[in-house]
Amino acid sequence: FRDISYNTTVSSRTWLFEGGTPATSTAANPVVQYGTSGRYDVTLIVSNANGTDTVWYNDLVMVSSATAVVKAPHAESFENTALAIEAWYSTATGPNQWAISGLASYGNNKSIRVRNNFGQNGNIHSLISPAISTSGLTPVVLGFAYSYAHKSGSFIGDVTAPNDRLTVTVSTDCGNSWTNIWSRTGAQLSTIAGTINPEIDFVPTGPEMWKTATVPVALASNQPSLRFRFDFQSDGGSNF
């Protein structure tokens, strides 16, 4: 952790780490260990002669189980919102993380999406699966449905079509390294013909606006634990 307080000198600080060791610290950049899987809050309290300020982050830290929590074959529809949120993990370099939505779906009632627009330009939104066991299974195939419309520009008057990108990777070492298994960009990613106007807030309205991907993953065969990660990199285009 790192204290990035600015515009003044901090005379004292206290970190509070729910579930961590140490549970508290006065260091500027403490190192904390977590021994039990779960989601944990973090609090930082800083003060000087001018007063005290506190920031609190709910569920900032997610510690995953060292062993797989899901046995393949497995399917995730995101219909059970509470279960999906607990099992999957989302991070982003900007606002608008992956979120479950009831606005559109491929065959059911819900899906998980990224709200994307010109203000998201350059941000990367990552969605990480729970640990999955493929022990005894070969070959392993990843399948998913997706919907995206390629815009003619990032904003009204813009004539350069944005190149949003989706990259799918897999890890067999608990996220220490990731291997690229699928990627599409811009028009190649689009699931509709042509382009849409920049001002349209894209929401698919029928199954014809979706595509399915089937990806053989050789290195995922017979693994005690693996994870998939979906990285959507915004170039100011439309929702995914």
Side-chain angles (χ1 to χ4, degrees), residues 43-56:
T43 303
L44 174 61
I45 306 168
V46 295
S47 62
N48 60 16
N50 297 313
T52 300
D53 197 7
T54 301
V55 289
W56 167 75

Side-chain angles (χ1 to χ4, degrees), residues 35-123:
T36 304
S37 61
R39 296 173 185 256
Y40 300 103
D41 301 347
V42 175
T43 303
L44 174 61
I45 306 168
V46 295
S47 62
N48 60 16
N50 297 313
T52 300
D53 197 7
T54 301
V55 289
W56 167 75
Y57 293 98
N58 179 51
D59 291 346
L60 178 66
V61 177
M62 178 180 177
V63 181
S64 299
S65 172
T67 57
V69 296
V70 173
K71 178 72 170 72
H74 172 71
E76 177 57 75
S77 65
F78 298 105
E79 293 297 306
N80 187 329
T81 303
L83 178 62
I85 289 176
E86 183 66 26
W88 291 71
Y89 184 60
S90 173
T91 65
T93 57
N96 294 358
Q97 295 196 24
W98 291 84
I100 294 175
S101 170
L103 294 177
S105 175
Y106 184 75
N108 292 295
N109 298 305
K110 295 179 182 178
S111 58
I112 192 163
R113 71 167 181 166
V114 173
R115 290 296 305 275
N116 180 39
N117 52 47
F118 180 66
Q120 296 290 318
N121 196 356
N123 290 329

